[in-house]
Every structure is written in C-alpha cells, then in structure tokens.
Amino acid sequence: MEGILEGLLYVQGDAGLTLKDVMSILNISEDEAKELIYKLKKSYEEENRGLRLSYLGNTFKLTTKQEHKEYYTKLLESPGTHTLSQAALETLAIIAYNEPVTRSDVDEMRGVDSVFVIRKLLAKGLIKECGKSDKPGHSILYKTTDDFLDYFGLSTKDDLPKIEDIVVSDEERDLFRSNYREIDN
C-alpha cells in the first residue's frame, strides 16, 4: 500500500492529501492510514532518497529535501533549462491571454494537469502568484511577469499577437485527425 500512497501523493502534487483523503481512497481506518503515512515518511528519510513526505497546511505532500537545494538551483539556472517545452509555451500562452487565471482554469484549457509546468514557470520567474480567486476554494491566481516580457522581447503585454491574427495551417488543423479508420468485417 505504500506504493499506492506514494503514487497518490505524486498525482496530487501541490494539492496534497489529507488524512481523511487517505482513509477514504484506500478504504482504511484512521490508525491504518497514520501507520501507512508514517512508514512512507520513514522510507523517505533514507539518505539515498531525494524526496520527503511533508505535512503542510493540513495535507501530506511530496517535497524535495532542503539539503539538496544547491543542486535544484543549479538545474534551474543551467543554460539547458532556459529553453521552454511545448507544454510550458502552451501554459504561458494560456496565462498571458487569460490572466489572472487559476491552475484549474489552465488544466481545463489544456486538457491535462499543469501543476509541474506551472511550478517550473514560477521557478523561472516567468509567472507569479497575483492573488486568490473569489470562487469557492479561493485558488491561487497566476499572471505573467516582466521576465516573461523580457524573455519574449516584448515591451508590454499589448505586444502579444492578437489571437484572431494567428494563422493556423491546414497541417496544424489536421494534427489530431487520424489516418487510420476502423474496418467493418
């Protein structure tokens, strides 16, 4: 069950899991949930592990170990990490054109979980938190930064291309159409 809990924590990312979540999802008692969490926490305390199980804001989350911080900093500052993935560009475009926007709004528009992409964009300083949503749950709102403008050589957000001016080729439009068809037997 430790592996299942580890996977659940990974999938939840920054949202984490409460003790009640663990009990409900795994259909176990409070004592069993506490014991399971304790075992997983102890396994992460081994020196050869890069993560830890932290209790933050009434939730359990997987976090990196503070003692490895210098390596994480090197990774984020190394020249190879200055290029942006397609997912990062997609996420940045959604935030830039819709800011301020919540992570769940970005997830909905992209159709996939964006927690790790948003975390990386925050670390690169291309986006920042700019408040809380008025909607239930009061999710964090994100917007682009001046570093975003610098990165793309823009003076202001007004320099972004207008969405209606962006031309999409027929090839891009057909990108998700399949050439394969089911054959009736």
Side-chain angles (χ1 to χ4, degrees):
M1 280 246 214
E2 282 179 57
I4 295 170
L5 177 58
E6 180 178 44
L8 291 170
L9 288 163
Y10 177 81
V11 168
Q12 278 299 94
D14 284 342
L17 291 171
T18 64
L19 183 61
K20 286 185 180 182
D21 291 335
V22 174
M23 293 165 46
S24 172
I25 294 167
L26 298 177
N27 197 26
I28 57 177
S29 71
E30 184 174 342
D31 288 340
E32 290 170 313
K34 286 179 179 177
E35 179 66 24
L36 183 62
I37 290 166
Y38 176 77
K39 283 182 181 177
L40 186 59
K41 183 173 175 46
K42 289 304 275 181
S43 75
Y44 277 121
E45 290 174 4
E46 299 284 327
E47 189 176 310
N48 66 341
R49 303 299 296 264
L51 299 175
R52 73 176 55 169
L53 182 56
S54 300
Y55 187 68
L56 305 164
N58 277 343
T59 60
F60 296 95
K61 301 176 184 184
L62 291 179
T63 59
T64 54
K65 288 186 173 180
Q66 183 66 25
E67 54 267 31
H68 301 157
K69 181 181 178 181
E70 72 176 280
Y71 300 103
Y72 306 137
T73 303
K74 283 181 185 178
L75 172 67
L76 293 174
E77 292 175 351
S78 71
T81 61
H82 292 299
T83 57
L84 296 173
S85 67
Q86 184 64 36
L89 290 171
E90 216 174 79
T91 303
L92 268 175
I94 289 169
I95 293 170
Y97 283 101
N98 298 285
E99 64 186 33
V101 65
T102 66
R103 182 183 61 85
S104 60
D105 292 334
V106 173
D107 291 351
E108 188 176 319
M109 288 182 230
R110 289 190 64 225
V112 294
D113 189 322
S114 303
V115 68
F116 296 111
V117 176
I118 287 177
R119 198 178 294 158
K120 193 160 189 167
L121 293 172
L122 283 166
K124 288 179 177 285
L126 297 173
I127 62 171
K128 66 180 179 180
E129 295 179 7
C130 64
K132 299 273 188 174
S133 169
D134 292 336
K135 296 177 186 173
H138 303 288
S139 300
I140 296 169
L141 292 168
Y142 298 98
K143 71 179 207 171
T144 56
T145 64
D146 289 343
D147 288 345
F148 163 81
L149 295 172
D150 292 345
Y151 187 92
F152 289 99
L154 304 170
S155 298
T156 69
K157 227 184 87 167
D158 295 333
D159 293 339
L160 283 170
K162 304 294 178 235
I163 292 179
E164 55 273 4
D165 294 341
I166 298 173
V167 178
V168 178
S169 71
D170 288 338
E171 183 179 314
E172 289 173 314
R173 200 170 284 127
D174 292 338
L175 184 62
F176 294 106
R177 289 193 189 155
S178 174
N179 292 329
Y180 301 99
R181 308 259 185 260
E182 282 191 32
I183 299 174
D184 293 329
N185 290 339

